[in-house]
Amino acid sequence: MASVNSREPRSDAARNHQTLVRAATAAVHREGVGVPMATIAADAGVGIGTLYRHFPTREYLLGYLTHASFEQVLANAQAATGAEALRNFIEAAISQRNELVLPLHGGPRPASDSTRVLREQVHQIIQQIIDRGRADGTITRAATPHDIVAFGSMLAQPRPPDPGWDATCRRLLATYLAGLGSGGPDN
């Protein structure tokens, strides 16, 4: 007999799961990590029992959202290649701003070892991008992975859709990246 965990979830359960994730992400952005679980369930249009079947505790839910967000950020870092790697990495965060629940966006710090490993992998890839930029001369100023993540997080703060703000963020990004390559006393 197959275990419960080995079978595919029913389509309505999978749909509820995704609806709960979207509702929880929006609620955390709107109200913070202390948002009542009942609010998340109501926003998702499901009963509180359905929420607790998918996410038995607030900590589990927040851990899930944070882990999934770091998985996405890692995928963004892995996809960012070539001379435009830092631009592509940060632009991905800008376009996904309302889908990510990360510590620098008001989300919880990673609680599990597996999430902390993902965060470290992101930093390692960004360090490799910085090292390549320093080697090819496109990055001449001091920069750390934390600097890049912090700047990207500032531009990618969750907010209502606003094409004008997105354009401003992209101009700020271009200015920042140009500054990394401008040389000067920070070399």
Side-chain angles (χ1 to χ4, degrees):
M1 182 169 135
S3 73
V4 173
N5 292 334
S6 67
R7 66 183 181 143
E8 290 292 316
R10 295 185 341 230
S11 63
D12 62 330
R15 190 172 40 257
N16 282 343
H17 182 85
Q18 288 305 314
T19 300
L20 285 163
V21 167
R22 282 191 302 276
T25 299
V28 167
H29 290 166
R30 184 179 66 242
E31 297 182 36
V33 295
V35 62
M37 296 290 273
T39 298
I40 295 168
D43 288 355
V46 301
I48 193 76
T50 299
L51 171 61
Y52 281 114
R53 270 193 300 284
H54 288 269
F55 302 102
T57 66
R58 173 189 314 284
E59 292 75 25
Y60 183 87
L61 172 61
L62 293 172
Y64 178 89
L65 295 175
T66 302
H67 188 86
S69 295
F70 273 108
E71 286 179 329
Q72 183 59 54
V73 171
L74 178 60
N76 294 345
Q78 291 168 330
T81 59
E84 295 293 307
L86 288 180
R87 177 182 315 279
N88 295 338
F89 174 71
I90 294 173
E91 282 191 356
I94 291 168
S95 69
Q96 297 164 351
R97 66 168 38 112
N98 293 322
E99 302 165 26
L100 302 173
V101 175
L102 295 164
L104 292 176
H105 289 170
R109 296 180 64 76
S112 72
D113 288 340
S114 61
T115 304
R116 285 189 288 273
V117 166
L118 290 173
R119 181 183 59 192
E120 182 57 32
Q121 289 173 327
V122 169
H123 284 216
Q124 289 170 355
I125 291 170
I126 294 171
Q127 184 62 57
Q128 292 167 359
I129 293 168
I130 292 168
D131 292 344
R132 284 193 308 270
R134 290 189 78 63
D136 70 15
T138 57
I139 296 177
T140 59
R141 293 217 176 231
T144 68
H146 180 74
D147 297 338
I148 303 301
V149 168
F151 182 73
S153 293
M154 286 188 281
L155 295 182
Q157 288 298 308
R159 57 183 292 126
D162 178 353
W165 179 246
D166 284 351
T168 298
C169 288
R170 287 181 171 82
R171 280 193 309 278
L172 292 170
L173 174 57
T175 301
Y176 178 77
L177 293 175
L180 284 177
S182 67
D186 292 335
N187 291 334

